[in-house]
Amino acid sequence: MGEAVTGPLRRPEHPGSGRRQARVLPRGRQAGHEAREAIEELLGDSPRRRDLLIEHLHRIQDRHGQIPAELLAALAEAMRLSYAEVYEVATFYAHFDVVKEDEPALPPLAVRVCDSLTCAMHGSAALHEALASQAMPEMRVVRAPCLGLCDQAPVVEVGHHFLHRATPAVVLEAVSQGDTQPHMADYVDLDRYRAAGGYQLLGRLRSGELDVEAVMAALEHAGLRGLGGAGFPTGRKWRAVRGQPGPRLMAVNGDEGEPGTFKDRHYLNTDPHRFLEGTLIAAHVVEAEEVFIYLRDEYPLAREILSHEIGRLPPGGPVLHLRRGAGAYICGEESALLESLEGKRGLPRHKPPFPFQRGLFGRPTLINNVETLYWVRDILERGPEWWAGQGRHGGKGLRSFSVSGRVRQPGVKLAPAGITLRELLAEHCGGMAEGHELMAFLPGGASGGILPAAMADLPLDFGTLEPHGCFIGSAAVIVLSQADDLRAAALNVMRFFEDESCGQCTPCRIGTQKARLLMERQEWDLPLMRELSEVMREASICGLGQAASNPLLSLLRHFPEFAAEEGHPA
């Protein structure tokens, strides 16, 4: 499975023979002896399979703070891939800093300043400018998309250490002290989890005491839906995968990159075994031989916790593989995630076939989000009626709302599905921040659109916001007040989509760029904006391009006084 493919060989002519004989070296840039030795030492006994290419690129990046061209060439030789194949993957992902031979080496320490919407609202632009002007020789200051800590804005990542509510002085102190690794926090480890009844449900399932059909029926009766954003019924998805001929695989989508979303980080960092037990239950139900957990690179603490706790699990069941993303929002799309797991660029696949038919390595594959799997144990132990009865205003179940912006108490808020924003703020967030009045909110992160305060009594659930041009998605709620410029907010998220477009399809690649340029004008060409948005929505391959114009369109729909105001700078 996933064996590397040997690159094509150049065959020079042998003088006087009239025949071409094979060279022993692959086509493309050649590596020097020192570079080959460095790669062999770095990889050690690790397999050289193609699907591990991104993992091996991480090893180089972690060791050197960048990826020199000579090491990239040596890696290509070691993996029996062409230099072009390795180069195109390395340059696709934002967290790999490829340095060409004719370029000077980069300062080894990356200081990433988040510039997504919530951090921008809390002054990240000024923070970036201050750090850039005071940068030390060993550091480089770069902008970064959402780092998954919107409730702690503004956020700066120093190496793999995250600084909450960062200031220039705090960041520079961390750099000078070499504080670049994640700080371990308290969490429910295997012993504590087992003491509270953990893994008993999995044991009943594996022993046959609990029937597989009963598990799928319970999830269907409860109405559990995918909580990564799409909302597909979980029980139906498991049944569909199980109905495909084996062997089957499973992939977990932990690439939580939607600006404003940080719920998966919360659960992974605090109660990882509840997620792992749900994962193992799902793998047993669909008879998946292996499970690939794809975790965004911005979650190093979760990766450290999972690596340690997975190693403590008793033998038996599927093999669990933990794989790192590398800074590509598009890999949250299920088929792009599969491509990345195979060691390729994260380009969405055309459908059909769908992943449940032909997914990872061509096998039927179950794909679930972290939070979806987190709730499996509770639903099966407490009963589907418990979950179905948790909603409000017609909603079913619980939702983990990632709340950030102008609120007194931001964070992950566990609340009934269908709760209104007004209720969410009053009951879970302590109301609006001091001196701020609700003006607008994004109910589903950057792609979910923007709604006015007048719609704060709408139920927040699947299907309730679509009539208004928005959707709840991953339940990332960003709250704006009279202190915020809505045009600037919409422009911020459009710049994000332009940066994160994979570039595969023209409507998204060119559409997001053109939309950003139009939005930067003082006067907006509304007919052209609407026409462009329609093309992006109807012709893009995946959800990124299809949803990228939602904030713009909802602004035009619900805030005409802002969208049509002449001479108002974006």
Side-chain angles (χ1 to χ4, degrees):
M1 181 182 69
E3 291 299 320
V5 179
T6 303
L9 302 177
R10 300 177 69 91
R11 298 178 179 273
E13 290 188 9
H14 183 71
S17 68
R19 300 176 61 186
R20 300 173 64 87
Q21 298 191 7
R23 292 177 58 191
V24 296
L25 295 176
R27 177 187 301 174
R29 186 189 304 271
Q30 306 303 311
H33 178 70
E34 291 185 3
R36 292 193 188 101
E37 285 191 337
I39 287 297
E40 289 302 316
E41 183 271 329
L42 195 60
L43 299 187
D45 295 332
S46 298
R48 272 58 167 172
R49 299 195 316 266
R50 171 59 192 262
D51 62 288
L52 292 173
L53 172 58
I54 294 173
E55 293 295 305
H56 295 337
L57 289 169
H58 273 302
R59 293 192 182 195
I60 303 175
Q61 181 74 35
D62 289 344
R63 173 73 64 86
H64 301 278
Q66 54 206 290
I67 302 180
E70 60 269 22
L71 294 185
L72 201 65
L75 178 64
E77 288 187 16
M79 299 189 69
R80 299 176 63 82
L81 297 169
S82 71
Y83 182 82
E85 288 178 279
V86 177
Y87 182 84
E88 72 174 7
V89 172
T91 53
F92 179 85
Y93 295 94
H95 289 185
F96 296 142
D97 299 305
V98 178
V99 181
K100 299 178 181 178
E101 286 184 347
D102 57 349
E103 295 177 343
L106 297 171
L109 181 61
V111 175
R112 302 181 187 277
V113 183
C114 180
D115 68 354
S116 285
L117 179 55
T118 305
C119 282
M121 292 163 58
H122 288 81
S124 64
L127 177 60
H128 186 285
E129 183 178 352
L131 289 173
S133 66
Q134 302 176 54
M136 301 177 185
E138 69 269 27
M139 62 183 272
R140 61 184 188 275
V141 181
V142 297
R143 56 173 295 275
C146 187
L147 294 175
L149 284 161
C150 311
D151 55 332
Q152 306 292 328
V155 180
V156 174
E157 180 184 9
V158 178
H160 291 302
H161 176 45
F162 292 82
L163 301 173
H164 306 169
R165 298 185 176 91
T167 64
V170 170
V171 174
L172 294 174
E173 181 181 4
V175 173
S176 64
Q177 294 183 354
D179 190 3
T180 62
Q181 296 303 313
H183 292 189
M184 186 60 69
D186 181 52
Y187 66 92
V188 180
D189 65 5
L190 179 61
D191 296 331
R192 289 169 60 187
Y193 185 72
R194 276 181 163 168
Y199 291 111
Q200 292 182 11
L201 183 66
L202 177 64
R204 292 174 53 210
L205 182 63
R206 287 178 172 174
S207 69
E209 179 185 346
L210 179 61
D211 182 63
V212 167
E213 175 59 34
V215 170
M216 293 188 290
L219 296 180
E220 290 170 337
H221 183 56
L224 177 65
R225 300 175 66 168
L227 298 175
F232 192 86
T234 303
R236 190 194 308 174
K237 178 183 284 189
W238 290 19
R239 193 179 296 279
V241 174
R242 185 177 171 85
Q244 294 294 310
R248 309 178 193 94
L249 297 173
M250 180 177 175
V252 177
N253 189 344
D255 194 55
E256 182 182 49
E258 180 75 19
T261 310
F262 44 90
K263 60 184 179 60
D264 290 351
R265 171 185 59 82
H266 169 75
Y267 290 123
L268 291 170
N269 287 359
T270 58
D271 198 1
H273 283 283
R274 194 170 298 270
F275 151 70
L276 288 172
E277 184 168 13
T279 299
L280 293 172
I281 289 171
H284 182 90
V285 169
V286 303
E287 299 176 347
E289 299 176 344
E290 297 178 85
V291 178
F292 293 79
I293 302 173
Y294 189 92
L295 191 64
R296 70 180 307 212
D297 198 32
E298 291 84 351
Y299 290 176
L301 178 56
R303 184 171 65 251
E304 187 171 330
I305 291 172
L306 287 176
S307 296
H308 181 262
E309 296 301 318
I310 288 174
R312 299 183 63 199
L313 292 176
V319 179
L320 300 182
H321 304 277
L322 189 59
R323 297 292 171 81
R324 292 169 67 176
Y329 168 73
I330 189 62
C331 291
E333 195 276 337
E334 62 176 8
S335 64
L337 178 146
L338 298 178
E339 290 288 298
S340 191
L341 281 172
E342 293 180 2
K344 306 171 186 175
R345 294 176 294 165
L347 302 180
R349 298 174 179 177
H350 292 276
K351 302 171 186 176
F354 296 94
F356 81 92
Q357 300 166 314
R358 184 177 175 84
L360 189 60
F361 307 118
R363 298 184 181 183
T365 304
L366 173 66
I367 306 175
N368 276 139
N369 163 261
V370 167
E371 192 198 355
T372 308
L373 297 165
Y374 179 89
W375 289 113
V376 167
R377 175 190 165 188
D378 286 270
I379 292 173
L380 296 179
E381 288 185 341
R382 301 188 186 193
E385 294 80 7
W386 165 79
W387 178 264
Q390 293 296 313
R392 188 181 295 183
H393 304 303
K396 273 190 174 184
L398 296 168
R399 291 306 302 264
S400 301
F401 292 92
S402 304
V403 184
S404 65
R406 309 299 187 181
V407 300
R408 193 180 301 272
Q409 299 168 7
V412 177
K413 310 297 179 179
L414 185 61
I419 193 173
T420 69
L421 177 75
R422 204 175 307 278
E423 293 168 338
L424 183 66
L425 294 178
E427 298 174 24
H428 298 272
C429 303
M432 295 292 292
E434 187 70 28
H436 292 270
E437 298 178 3
L438 177 65
M439 181 175 66
F441 63 102
L442 285 72
S447 60
I450 306 175
L451 291 172
M455 293 186 175
D457 293 313
L458 285 173
L460 299 176
D461 201 6
F462 296 115
T464 61
L465 305 178
E466 283 79 356
H468 306 283
C470 296
F471 57 82
I472 190 172
S474 59
V477 178
I478 305 175
V479 179
L480 295 88
S481 75
Q482 79 281 3
D484 301 305
D485 184 336
L486 294 187
R487 286 177 54 140
L491 178 58
N492 178 283
V493 296
M494 186 59 72
R495 284 171 175 158
F496 170 82
F497 289 127
E498 179 188 5
D499 287 345
E500 295 297 331
S501 173
C502 74
Q504 180 178 194
C505 68
T506 302
C508 177
R509 181 183 68 252
I510 302 300
T512 52
Q513 179 191 58
K514 182 66 174 178
R516 188 260 304 169
L517 291 171
L518 290 172
M519 295 171 72
E520 288 178 340
R521 295 180 180 177
Q522 288 190 341
E523 297 182 16
W524 282 7
D525 186 337
L526 302 186
L528 182 57
M529 284 179 162
R530 291 192 174 94
E531 181 182 0
L532 176 62
S533 297
E534 181 180 2
V535 171
M536 293 167 61
R537 186 173 60 250
E538 298 297 330
S540 295
I541 291 175
C542 80
L544 191 156
Q546 294 163 8
S549 61
N550 281 349
L552 170 61
L553 290 175
S554 58
L555 199 67
L556 300 181
R557 180 174 183 175
H558 300 297
F559 302 92
E561 69 277 15
F562 287 93
E565 184 179 350
E566 295 185 1
H568 183 85

